[in-house]
Every structure is written in structure tokens, then in C-alpha cells.
């Protein structure tokens, strides 16, 4: 079964002005679709054709001869996660089970947000900022290009795309402002809480 572009849970214009319809038309409709088209072409005639997306990522990680498959599979997984991490009028209060875990592992919600923004700002070039579960503990981490914490045995539960295609139309070069707005106005904390189990 070839991989397919997931539908968004909101209209293209529903996240404006933080993330404009123009950004989503390109980012979801063109960039994400291209990763899927490439992934399907690269796996259709080999032993990965029937593997799960997670298996493809972990099996090709670190193998230079499979970099094309890894990059497109990683970006497909990362974007499936990313679209679900946002909602119209997001941000705001977290469900208590998520807030309590964050306070337990970071000290405060503000410290988590500070660490998350710092991870995204300091990811040199393209990549991702993440909240992930590592051996039962919540951690903030970052990854370059198409990689994600799955390759390090962690479970990512929240991620922000810091490739320029995700924010340049709406924020130009202001990546820190994009990350702050992502947390305060777009984050779907109910989805993140659902990933804690
Ligand atoms: Mn992207």
C-alpha cells in the first residue's frame, strides 16, 4: 500500500495569521506530497515496500546508501506529527496530565517552552525541535534535516518544523518569533497529551 498524504484536521486558512494559507498550500500540498511521492518511488521495488514507516526510518538510519529513503521517510513521519501538533486557536492551558509531567521533568511550563524555543533556534540550518519521551522522562531535543528522535530510541510526542519553508512566508527570518507563536497560538496540547501513553 503506497503512502498517502494525510488530510489536515483544519482548513488551509485556519491557522492564519501565524501560519498562512499560502504557507500551508505549499508546505502540506507540495513539500509533504513530494516526500511521499519520492518515498513511494524509492521503496516500490525493494524489501521495504511493505515495511511500516517507523521500520523504514530505523532500518535506513545511518546507512549512506539509503539516505534518499531515510530522508523522505523521516520527513513523511515528521510532517504527519507536525500537522497534528497544531490547531486553530491553539496554545493556552495544557491538559493537567501533560502539564504535571512537564512540571515534573522541566520544573515549569515556562522552562519547557524556553528549552523548546532554544532547541529550535540553535538547530543550525534545516531541522526540527522536539518534545520526546526518553526512558519514561520528557526531554527537549532537536534534529537536523529529516531525522527525528525515533532513531535514538525515543518517542517524539510534539515537534516543530524549523525548515525555512515552514515560516519564511509568514515570519521571514524571525525563527524565534515563529517558535514562540507556534507554542502560544498553534500548539494542540490535547493531541500531545494523547501521546503520553
Ligand atoms: Mn516541512
Amino acid at each position: 500500500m503506497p503512502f498517502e498524504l494525510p488530510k489536515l484536521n483544519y482548513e488551509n486558512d485556519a491557522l492564519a495569521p501565524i501560519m498562512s494559507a499560502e504557507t500551508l498550500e505549499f508546505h502540506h500540498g507540495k513539500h509533504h506530497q513530494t516526500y511521499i511521492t519520492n518515498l513511494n518511488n524509492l521503496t516500490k521495488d525493494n524489501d521495504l515496500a511493505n515495511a511500516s514507516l517507523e521500520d523504514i526510518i530505523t532500518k535506513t538510519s545511518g546507512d549512506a546508501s539509503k539516505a534518499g529513503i531515510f530522508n523522505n521517510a523521516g520527513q513523511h513521519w515528521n510532517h504527519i506529527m507536525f500537522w497534528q501538533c497544531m490547531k486553530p486557536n491553539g496554545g493556552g492551558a495544557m491538559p493537567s496530565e501533560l502539564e504535571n509531567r512537564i512540571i515534573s521533568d522541566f520544573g515549569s511550563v515556562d522552562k519547557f517552552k524556553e528549552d523548546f524555543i532554544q532547541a529550535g533556534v540553535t538547530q543550525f540550518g534545516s531541522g526540527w525541535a522536539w518534545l520526546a519521551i526518553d526512558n519514561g522522562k520528557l526531554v527537549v531535543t532537536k534534529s537536523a534535516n529529516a531525522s527525528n528522535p525515533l532513531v535514538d530510541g525515543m518517542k517524539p510526542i510534539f515537534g516543530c518544523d524549523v525548515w525555512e519553508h515552514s515560516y519564511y512566508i509568514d515570519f521571514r527570518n524571525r525563527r524565534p518569533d515563529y517558535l514562540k507563536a507556534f507554542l502560544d497560538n498553534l500548539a494542540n496540547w490535547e493531541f500531545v497529551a494523547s501521546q503520553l501513553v
Side-chain angles (χ1 to χ4, degrees), residues 140-177:
V140 163
T141 185
K142 60 188 176 184
S143 63
N145 300 317
S147 194
N148 69 43
L150 288 174
V151 305
D152 297 314
M154 301 182 207
K155 180 188 178 184
I157 62 171
F158 179 66
C160 183
D161 190 339
V162 298
W163 287 57
E164 286 187 347
H165 66 220
S166 193
Y167 63 88
Y168 216 83
I169 291 171
D170 304 306
F171 287 86
R172 298 300 173 186
N173 62 320
R174 295 180 291 116
R175 190 191 286 190
D177 293 349

Side-chain angles (χ1 to χ4, degrees), residues 27 31-32 35 75 79 82-83 128 161 163 165-166:
H27 196 180
H31 288 277
H32 190 175
Y35 299 129
Q75 284 294 72
H79 286 85
F82 182 57
W83 308 132
W128 295 79
D161 190 339
W163 287 57
H165 66 220
S166 193

Side-chain angles (χ1 to χ4, degrees), residues 16 21 23 79 96 109 114 120 172 174 179:
T23 291
H79 286 85
S96 59
V109 171
E114 184 186 316
R172 298 300 173 186
R174 295 180 291 116
L179 281 154

